[in-house]
Amino acid sequence: MFKIISVNCCTLTFAVSAQNSILHQYASENQNNPKVISETLENKQNVITIPVIPEINDSENLTVAEKKNQSAQEAVENPAQLNVNQENISSQIVPGSAAAPKSISDLVDKVTAAQVEHFGGEAGALRVRLRGARAFEPTYYFNGFVLTGAGSGEQNLSLLPLTFVGQLNVYPDSPPFWLSSMGIAGDINIRSCRRIDCFFYGKRNSSNLFKLETRIGSFGYQEGSASHSLKLGQKSEIYTSLDYTTSQENYSVFNNNNSNLNADQGTYEKLQNNDFSKTSGGIGAESYSNTFGKINFDFIFGLQNKGVPGPVGSQGAKQRLERNIFLGLIRSEKFFAENGLQWNSQIGYLYNTSENKSFNSTTNYVAQAASSYNSSLQAKTYFILPSSLISQEQTGLSLDIIYATQKTSTTVPNSGSSMDSHVQVERTEIRPNLFEAVIFPMQKNWTLSVNANAWMSMANSNVNMNSNYPSISSMSSYENSEREKPTAGYTVSLQNKIFNTVQYIRYVKSQRRPYLSEIYGSPDGVIPNVNIVAESSQKIETGFNFPMGEFGYFYAKDSDLIFLIPVSQIYYQYNNIEDSARNGFFLNLDTNITHNWNISFTYQYLLAKMLYKGEETDVPRSARHFVNAATSVENIPLGSIFTYKTYLGAYANVNWQSSFYLDYTNSSQMDIPPIYNSGVAFSFYNSLSAQKFSLSLDIYNLANESFATLTSSSGSVQSVQSNGYLGYPPPGRRIYLTLAGEF
């Protein structure tokens, strides 16, 4: 039996041991409330007392690599909750260390394991590749609730309020078992804001804390947000936020009428109908009781109105797209001190809409009036139980039930009802999961753990589809109820810790069931394909993590990849294409030269090949080399102004990637220039009043690059605007001025 050996004011951290590692996450989430821990333990007849050590006071001075190394070490002794390669991206950016994030996609930019593409400015699309996975996106979650149901999770991601995001948990290879991952292209779990995560002085016991922020920037960018934390005693909190963003995004583009012979002859034109506005926010509540444990509730919403620009130089009306998302989630977390059992349950509901509000009726069906309504209902429960039958084990069981629906309607202008298309589909999916880990404490500085994770997905779907599309010879009329083919996956992992270095090797077999919109189409020009099958992947990864960084190698074999294939100039269709293989290695280094000066370097090599019509080609948009180098100086003291201590911070970074192909046949190769970003920030702190203010200036694309070079298989070279049609980087220099305050 252990004894509690120390308590430090407002923070508690469990000492990590194999026997009690299951308690680590629970303690860290309640680290500002020692009474929660003590009452839970003292009110039990068979008391398990837990060794407690003070939290490191200067943890905020650790580098990103050091924090990731600490997480990797804990993952060896607590594989049920963590992952050796887990990366945590906090929304609380130290002013001057990096750009102040404007959106969730800005946070994703900071993931060292990812290659990120942006399309169409601040409100455009986002593509994230983890470990080179190109054909499919990561699976996105909000507090464990899957954001991918009927359609792509990336579409929902941009609608979430940044003010309600406390942290991104990124898993590039395999996540904790309770996430019930599809596992093919990695996973990103978005954790909601609470005081301890989203306020600089979050550990203080003030009843009310406020955060206000305003930002202006290039192309008419304006943003305002407000957040509030209300503490109701030591055990309860209410968190609310609201933000509004608008931008014209009318940057200049070069119109040469797509001429290869006269690539330099044309005029600059303002991009039309590319503006957007977004209103989002949410409310969260947290409470604790001895009977039910910790109860969390979150409700968030995002409302966006966005223009859809036509091709450069085109005339006539353009589409406007309205997209909305509403998500409610309630979670309970209960720890049983008698046997160390942790039991978590949650239920959530997501509803989102997408509607084209206007269209051009004179362009031969190029534009359509369409609407889509999707919903997802998810119930999840899981438990983790420690034991000592073999050595020191952790057993986990989870069960997910997901019910997803999709309703779409498409109307072609001036066609009567003969061209109308309607789809109504629903899917019920059950996903059980089993996890087992055995932990071997070898000696003081050496621990070995072995874990296995297996899951199976069973689903039933009902569909009623009646559609017809111009320029497509076949009409789809389909009504069916069927039991979908089961999918399954498993992970076998071995990891050990010797002093501060963690070595690991992992094998992952996984499948991904097609989204409903991939099978039954969507109103943005994607026609149905009821014959596509699930993707599958096998991957092996090995490497090691140390306090200054990490190095690793991976190889993956992917089958039945689902790609969006053009059927005509107007319509697209998802199809299974042939197999691909990807392998590569990654190197991440991060260290402090002095107490205030940090440098970092990331390099990733990727070789991704696929079979297309019997020939081996490079996977589209898969550059072989990725480099990011950055340096920053943080918290340089400048003295005091009135009662505020003043600090200076500044950063600079460069992103570069090698050339890549745009198509499956490798007939068009693109080179984009390196992108340089920098920024400076002044911060003002008053710890006695728990106040913090900052003024920051961020400059993206310092060199003002707008063009990329496109080389065709015939040898012709053309300079093209690297705008929303071709992806990152956005054209031209962008400047943002941000004023933020907490009090």
Side-chain angles (χ1 to χ4, degrees), residues 387-541:
S387 61
S388 299
L389 297 177
I390 301 175
S391 174
Q392 294 173 351
E393 305 88 40
Q394 295 177 3
T395 302
L397 288 174
S398 73
L399 179 65
D400 264 17
I401 301 176
I402 304 173
Y403 175 75
T405 67
Q406 173 189 343
K407 296 180 181 179
T408 63
S409 177
T410 304
T411 302
V412 177
N414 301 328
S415 66
S417 61
S418 61
M419 296 297 184
D420 290 356
S421 301
H422 302 281
V423 175
Q424 181 170 344
V425 61
E426 60 182 21
R427 172 191 283 166
T428 303
E429 182 177 2
I430 300 176
R431 186 183 293 260
N433 198 8
L434 172 65
F435 173 85
E436 182 68 29
V438 184
I439 303 142
F440 301 95
M442 310 301 289
Q443 51 180 300
K444 181 179 180 180
N445 294 310
W446 185 16
T447 302
L448 172 69
S449 64
V450 182
N451 59 278
N453 174 27
W455 59 264
M456 176 177 290
S457 167
M458 297 162 287
N460 188 82
S461 60
N462 297 280
V463 57
N464 188 341
M465 179 170 59
N466 188 353
S467 59
N468 192 11
Y469 296 87
S471 304
I472 302 298
S473 58
S474 62
M475 176 188 294
S476 60
S477 182
Y478 186 79
E479 184 174 354
N480 193 23
S481 177
E482 65 177 354
R483 182 175 298 173
E484 298 185 52
K485 185 177 180 180
T487 61
Y490 59 87
T491 300
V492 179
S493 182
L494 174 69
Q495 50 266 328
N496 69 81
K497 175 177 70 73
I498 303 177
F499 295 98
N500 294 327
T501 300
V502 175
Q503 298 87 34
Y504 63 93
I505 183 169
R506 179 176 290 116
Y507 175 78
V508 182
K509 170 69 169 67
S510 57
Q511 292 183 290
R512 179 180 79 84
R513 194 181 299 281
Y515 305 142
L516 295 180
S517 59
E518 292 173 336
I519 304 176
Y520 304 110
S522 61
D524 53 0
V526 178
I527 62 175
N529 181 5
V530 296
N531 297 316
I532 59 175
V533 298
E535 298 172 318
S536 63
S537 178
Q538 302 177 66
K539 182 171 64 173
I540 187 170
E541 185 170 53

Side-chain angles (χ1 to χ4, degrees), residues 219 250-257 263-272 312-315 703-708 719-723 730-733:
F219 310 115
N250 57 344
Y251 45 78
S252 296
V253 293
F254 187 70
N255 179 20
N256 67 346
N257 296 315
D264 298 327
Q265 297 182 14
T267 58
Y268 280 98
E269 300 176 4
K270 290 283 189 180
L271 189 61
Q272 302 295 313
V312 177
S314 64
Q315 302 297 321
N704 199 27
E705 296 285 358
S706 295
F707 291 93
S719 293
V720 295
Q721 192 103 27
S722 185
N723 57 23
R733 184 183 298 115

Side-chain angles (χ1 to χ4, degrees), residues 599-615:
I599 60 171
S600 63
F601 175 81
T602 296
Y603 171 71
Q604 299 182 50
Y605 172 80
L606 171 67
L607 181 61
K609 294 286 188 177
M610 60 182 284
L611 287 175
Y612 182 69
K613 295 183 178 179
E615 296 185 5

Side-chain angles (χ1 to χ4, degrees), residues 68-69 71-73 75-77 79 82-87 112-113 131 170-174 446-451 491-498 500-508 539-546 549-555 584-588:
K68 192 171 182 178
N69 179 250
S71 177
Q73 293 183 55
V76 178
E77 300 174 345
L82 302 169
N83 183 284
V84 170
N85 289 321
Q86 178 176 342
E87 189 167 356
T112 59
R131 301 290 186 256
V170 182
Y171 308 97
D173 47 13
S174 62
W446 185 16
T447 302
L448 172 69
S449 64
V450 182
N451 59 278
T491 300
V492 179
S493 182
L494 174 69
Q495 50 266 328
N496 69 81
K497 175 177 70 73
I498 303 177
N500 294 327
T501 300
V502 175
Q503 298 87 34
Y504 63 93
I505 183 169
R506 179 176 290 116
Y507 175 78
V508 182
K539 182 171 64 173
I540 187 170
E541 185 170 53
T542 184
F544 58 92
N545 186 295
F546 50 95
E550 61 180 340
F551 175 82
Y553 169 82
F554 65 90
Y555 173 82
F585 64 86
F586 50 92
L587 172 66
N588 301 319

Side-chain angles (χ1 to χ4, degrees), residues 5 58 75 100 159 165 258 292 378 492 504 522 532 536 642 681 706:
I5 57 175
D58 60 349
L159 299 179
V165 176
N258 296 317
F292 299 104
Q378 180 183 12
V492 179
Y504 63 93
S522 61
I532 59 175
S536 63
F642 302 109
S706 295

Side-chain angles (χ1 to χ4, degrees), residues 157-444:
L157 196 68
S158 62
L159 299 179
L160 301 184
L162 178 65
T163 51
F164 217 85
V165 176
Q167 194 177 80
L168 303 182
N169 300 141
V170 182
Y171 308 97
D173 47 13
S174 62
F177 81 96
W178 49 265
L179 213 51
S180 299
S181 164
M182 298 177 191
I184 284 188
D187 302 83
I188 298 179
N189 185 33
I190 302 167
R191 289 177 51 184
S192 58
C193 262
R194 292 296 184 264
R195 171 177 296 206
I196 196 168
D197 296 316
C198 293
F199 284 87
F200 185 80
Y201 291 104
K203 297 177 183 179
R204 294 183 175 270
N205 290 322
S206 304
S207 297
N208 292 279
L209 288 178
F210 298 89
K211 180 191 296 183
L212 301 176
E213 181 177 279
T214 181
R215 179 184 287 115
I216 58 174
S218 301
F219 310 115
Y221 186 93
Q222 299 180 48
E223 176 191 342
S225 66
S227 303
H228 173 228
S229 171
L230 173 62
K231 200 74 172 176
L232 303 174
Q234 291 186 338
K235 300 181 180 182
S236 301
E237 176 190 355
I238 297 177
Y239 177 88
T240 55
S241 72
L242 181 67
D243 60 71
Y244 177 77
T245 306
T246 182
S247 182
Q248 292 298 314
E249 293 301 308
N250 57 344
Y251 45 78
S252 296
V253 293
F254 187 70
N255 179 20
N256 67 346
N257 296 315
N258 296 317
S259 171
N260 290 325
L261 297 177
N262 302 295
D264 298 327
Q265 297 182 14
T267 58
Y268 280 98
E269 300 176 4
K270 290 283 189 180
L271 189 61
Q272 302 295 313
N273 197 50
N274 197 38
D275 62 301
F276 81 96
S277 62
K278 173 187 171 185
T279 303
S280 58
I283 180 170
E286 179 177 309
S287 183
Y288 179 87
S289 71
N290 293 335
T291 304
F292 299 104
K294 185 164 66 173
I295 304 294
N296 282 278
F297 169 78
D298 293 287
F299 172 78
I300 56 176
F301 69 93
L303 315 174
Q304 185 187 76
N305 184 300
K306 180 183 182 300
V308 182
V312 177
S314 64
Q315 302 297 321
K318 310 295 193 301
Q319 301 179 56
R320 294 202 64 82
L321 183 64
E322 280 193 2
R323 296 195 301 160
N324 307 314
I325 187 172
F326 304 90
L327 193 159
L329 180 66
I330 185 169
R331 297 168 288 142
S332 67
E333 305 174 19
K334 177 67 174 177
F335 173 74
F336 296 88
E338 303 96 331
N339 50 25
L341 172 68
Q342 181 182 345
W343 182 28
N344 290 45
S345 297
Q346 67 180 51
I347 186 169
Y349 180 74
L350 179 149
Y351 179 77
N352 65 326
T353 68
S354 177
E355 186 172 1
N356 287 334
K357 299 298 291 185
S358 61
F359 49 86
N360 184 358
S361 61
T362 63
T363 54
N364 194 25
Y365 309 129
V366 170
Q368 298 179 343
S371 60
S372 176
Y373 303 89
N374 300 327
S375 66
S376 294
L377 175 66
Q378 180 183 12
K380 173 188 295 188
T381 185
Y382 71 89
F383 70 83
I384 305 171
L385 177 67
S387 61
S388 299
L389 297 177
I390 301 175
S391 174
Q392 294 173 351
E393 305 88 40
Q394 295 177 3
T395 302
L397 288 174
S398 73
L399 179 65
D400 264 17
I401 301 176
I402 304 173
Y403 175 75
T405 67
Q406 173 189 343
K407 296 180 181 179
T408 63
S409 177
T410 304
T411 302
V412 177
N414 301 328
S415 66
S417 61
S418 61
M419 296 297 184
D420 290 356
S421 301
H422 302 281
V423 175
Q424 181 170 344
V425 61
E426 60 182 21
R427 172 191 283 166
T428 303
E429 182 177 2
I430 300 176
R431 186 183 293 260
N433 198 8
L434 172 65
F435 173 85
E436 182 68 29
V438 184
I439 303 142
F440 301 95
M442 310 301 289
Q443 51 180 300
K444 181 179 180 180

